[in-house]
């Protein structure tokens, strides 16, 4: 097979890129190692930044999101027995918080790409890159019992943190920045109506908790836990009791219901610099990871491929290589700001078992400052709803 841009991975980065290139008249083929049902059923992110929502709508892919998504004017911060509403809409000139599950975005993007006649090859194995430092790279892979090859002009590595793309950049050509946090999240999906009109980020002496939603019938909640803990240690009763304490508020009750999905995830920050080697460009989780407290990962993945699609368009339409040459530097400026914000939200809201009483009081002072200072609140709001994408 031959195409202009070979994309590895049908996550948010790969799918948005394929759509953006299609709109620019550039051909792309996606190679994905899982099956369609599996990628459409994996539970991950929930919050979309305002410009991600706007992009979905501009691409004509937003109908279901506008019908089924949840639109909030801000979020609630809870600590020290108080709840405070942060009015992002008022603070940012109208930008809102949209909750629409990542796997619903994936379903909408896969369906539209296939309806447009696009090619997504599912269940590929043994992806290998050839000729990355020349002008005619190719991707060797297996599907079923056949060996295949995709020849292309460029390769976009959108294969997530564990995919092969980042590792294809020779170690001597990249630096990696890494931080692992000493806590994780236990996430659940439960059949229950919403308990509150917006997200609650709660800092509690027993640890962080986050209340989110998915639909009028299904709620998404998280509690901070030991990242090495075994999910078998968490009975439904224990989960509800812990959440009851961490969200506890006079005159308010957490609505419980049957839990039908639960898992524990660790938290890390990670950046690979540069995000390019020859004709290979990496994007999204393949290049960087943020802890989920700032709700940035999916949005960052989409921002990277907006920059990449503009650069590829300049190359094909105008013969310009400068935007491609600047791809990594352009993305990383924004990536580091999202890394900072996600680290800040994470350290401010979680209970770090290794921190000193002094550090603990500093985090509480930070929260107190954020909910009472319009300047601090505005800074948090503009980061949460999403920083602009630079050229
Ligand atoms: P993905 O989504 O991991 O997609 C990569 C795709 O590549 C495929 N792949 C391969 N394909 C071919 N060959 C190989 N060898 C391959 N290896 C892998 C994979 O099967 C997959 O389909 O990366 P992408 O596109 O960069 O997207 C990143 C986002 O998925 C991620 O950052 C977010 O889920 C992070 N995140 C959140 N982000 C937000 O913006 N807002 C949120 O509210 C939010 N909440 C979250 C989150 C992540 C969470 N978890 C589970 C880590 C909440 C949670 C709990
Ligand atoms: C979610 O709804 O899954 C969610 C919401 C906010 C976050 C992370 C995840 O910060």
């Amino acid at each position: 097979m031959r195409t202009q841009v070979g994309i590895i991975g049908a996550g948010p980065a790969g799918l948005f890129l394929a759509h953006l290139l299609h709109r620019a008249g550039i051909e792309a083929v996606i190679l994905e190692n899982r099956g369609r049902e599996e990628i459409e059923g994996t539970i991950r992110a929930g919050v979309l930044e305002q410009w991600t929502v706007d992009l979905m709508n501009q691409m004509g892919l937003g109908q279901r999101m506008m019908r089924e998504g949840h639109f909030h004017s801000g979020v609630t911060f809870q600590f020290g027995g108080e709840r405070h509403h942060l009015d992002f809409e008022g603070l940012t000139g109208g930008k809102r918080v949209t909750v629409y599950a990542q796997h619903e975005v994936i379903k909408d993007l896969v369906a539209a790409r296939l309806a447009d006649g696009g090619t997504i090859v599912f269940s590929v194995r043994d992806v290998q890159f050839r000729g990355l430092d020349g002008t005619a790279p190719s991707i060797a892979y297996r599907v079923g019992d056949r060996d295949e090859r995709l020849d292309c002009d460029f390769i976009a590595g959108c294969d997530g943190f564990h995919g092969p793309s980042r590792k294809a950049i020779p170690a001597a050509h990249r630096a990696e920045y890494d931080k692992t946090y000493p806590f994780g999240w236990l996430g659940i999906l439960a059949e229950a109506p919403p308990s509150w009109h917006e997200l609650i980020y709660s800092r509690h002496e027993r640890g962080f908790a986050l209340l989110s939603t998915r639909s009028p019938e299904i709620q998404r909640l998280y509690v901070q836990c030991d990242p090495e803990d075994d999910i078998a240690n968490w009975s439904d009763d224990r989960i509800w009791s812990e959440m009851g304490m961490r969200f506890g508020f006079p005159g308010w009750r957490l609505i419980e219901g049957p839990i039908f999905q639960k898992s524990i995830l660790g938290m890390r920050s990670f950046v690979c610099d540069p995000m390019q080697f020859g004709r290979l460009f990496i994007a999204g989780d393949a290049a960087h990871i943020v802890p989920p407290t700032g709700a940035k990962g999916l949005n960052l993945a989409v921002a990277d491929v907006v920059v990449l699609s503009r650069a590829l368009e300049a190359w094909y339409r105008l013969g310009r290589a400068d935007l491609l040459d600047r791809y990594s530097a352009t993305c990383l400026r924004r990536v580091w700001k999202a890394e900072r914000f996600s680290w800040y939200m994470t350290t401010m809201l979680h209970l770090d078992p290794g921190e000193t009483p002094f550090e603990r009081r500093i985090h509480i002072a930070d929260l107190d400052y954020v909910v009472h200072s319009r300047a601090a609140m505005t800074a948090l709001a503009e980061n949460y709803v999403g920083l602009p994408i630079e050229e």
Side-chain angles (χ1 to χ4, degrees):
M1 231 186 330
R2 151 125 209 117
T3 192
Q4 290 175 302
V5 181
I7 300 175
I8 316 291
L15 287 164
F16 269 94
L17 180 61
H19 277 279
L20 289 164
L21 293 177
H22 176 65
R23 286 191 344 145
I26 300 166
E27 275 176 35
V29 166
I30 301 182
L31 304 178
E32 163 60 51
N33 72 345
R34 293 185 297 159
R36 181 173 178 182
E37 270 179 28
E38 203 183 338
I39 64 166
E40 292 185 346
T42 305
I43 308 297
R44 293 187 74 172
V47 175
L48 305 182
E49 293 181 4
Q50 183 64 51
W51 67 266
T52 306
V53 170
D54 296 343
L55 180 65
M56 291 269 288
N57 283 325
Q58 281 158 25
M59 297 197 306
L61 300 170
Q63 295 90 335
R64 205 161 65 89
M65 170 186 70
M66 297 314 287
R67 264 196 329 270
E68 297 175 15
H70 299 263
F71 304 92
H72 301 157
S73 66
V75 301
T76 295
F77 271 18
Q78 175 171 341
F79 65 100
E82 294 176 4
R83 279 188 183 169
H84 298 268
H85 169 66
L86 303 187
D87 174 21
F88 294 166
E89 195 169 8
L91 292 162
T92 62
K95 294 184 177 148
R96 295 189 293 175
V97 177
T98 299
V99 185
Y100 185 62
Q102 176 165 334
H103 65 282
E104 305 296 349
V105 174
I106 298 285
K107 281 185 207 165
D108 296 343
L109 267 62
V110 168
R113 193 76 273 274
L114 297 177
D116 284 345
T119 306
I120 305 175
V121 187
F122 291 103
S123 307
V124 306
R125 301 189 311 281
D126 303 337
V127 161
Q128 285 178 23
F129 305 106
R130 311 241 195 274
L132 291 179
D133 47 4
T135 54
S138 65
I139 307 164
Y141 61 99
R142 275 184 78 74
V143 60
D145 54 8
R146 294 190 317 276
D147 285 317
E148 302 280 354
R149 203 182 74 214
L150 179 63
D151 294 327
C152 39
D153 300 327
F154 297 97
I155 297 174
C158 303
D159 46 1
F161 186 67
H162 301 287
S165 299
R166 182 181 62 258
K167 293 161 207 149
I169 302 178
H173 287 264
R174 65 181 141 99
E176 293 185 347
Y177 303 85
D178 204 357
K179 175 175 173 65
T180 305
Y181 298 84
F183 39 74
W185 280 11
L186 186 164
I188 63 161
L189 284 169
E191 272 171 50
S195 298
W196 191 243
H197 58 281
E198 62 189 13
L199 272 61
I200 303 177
Y201 287 85
S202 172
R203 183 184 166 117
H204 189 271
E205 62 209 25
R206 298 184 65 85
F208 171 75
L210 169 61
L211 181 137
S212 180
T213 187
R214 283 296 179 268
S215 73
E217 299 85 30
I218 295 175
Q219 307 314 314
R220 178 75 163 144
L221 298 103
Y222 303 94
V223 281
Q224 175 184 345
C225 66
D226 179 341
E228 304 300 331
D229 206 347
D230 184 345
I231 194 73
N233 294 329
W234 288 83
S235 67
D236 292 6
D237 283 349
R238 180 177 172 208
I239 293 173
W240 286 121
S241 145
E242 200 59 47
M243 293 201 178
M245 287 188 271
R246 296 191 197 182
F247 292 119
F249 192 68
W252 177 85
R253 196 171 61 84
L254 178 64
I255 305 175
E256 301 178 9
I259 296 175
F260 61 93
Q261 207 260 357
K262 52 180 167 182
S263 58
I264 290 177
L265 60 123
M267 293 222 234
R268 72 191 311 165
S269 299
F270 173 90
V271 178
C272 171
D273 181 354
M275 295 166 55
Q276 182 209 351
F277 175 72
R279 290 279 176 116
L280 169 69
F281 294 81
I282 60 173
D285 279 14
H288 40 72
I289 294 287
V290 286
T293 328
K296 288 277 156 269
L298 177 157
N299 296 288
L300 266 188
V302 181
D304 287 348
V305 298
V306 167
V307 175
L308 183 55
S309 67
R310 285 179 188 161
L312 287 167
E313 200 177 342
W315 195 86
Y316 281 109
R317 286 233 177 123
L318 309 168
R320 278 176 58 179
D322 55 326
L323 295 188
L324 281 173
D325 293 343
R326 283 209 307 275
Y327 166 74
S328 183
T330 305
C331 289
L332 284 170
R333 282 186 68 194
R334 195 170 181 282
V335 165
W336 274 110
K337 290 181 192 116
E339 291 284 342
R340 184 207 68 84
F341 178 67
S342 303
W343 164 86
Y344 158 73
M345 288 282 281
T346 301
T347 50
M348 177 168 71
L349 286 161
H350 288 73
L351 202 72
D352 181 339
E355 76 190 351
T356 62
F358 175 83
E359 287 162 330
R360 200 158 289 181
R361 296 304 295 257
I362 291 289
H363 295 317
I364 294 166
D366 215 341
L367 269 171
D368 197 21
Y369 177 51
V370 156
V371 300
H372 290 111
S373 152
R374 194 174 170 85
M377 223 183 267
T378 306
L380 190 142
E382 77 166 355
N383 279 279
Y384 195 98
V385 301
L387 295 174
I389 300 176
E390 292 166 27
E391 287 292 327

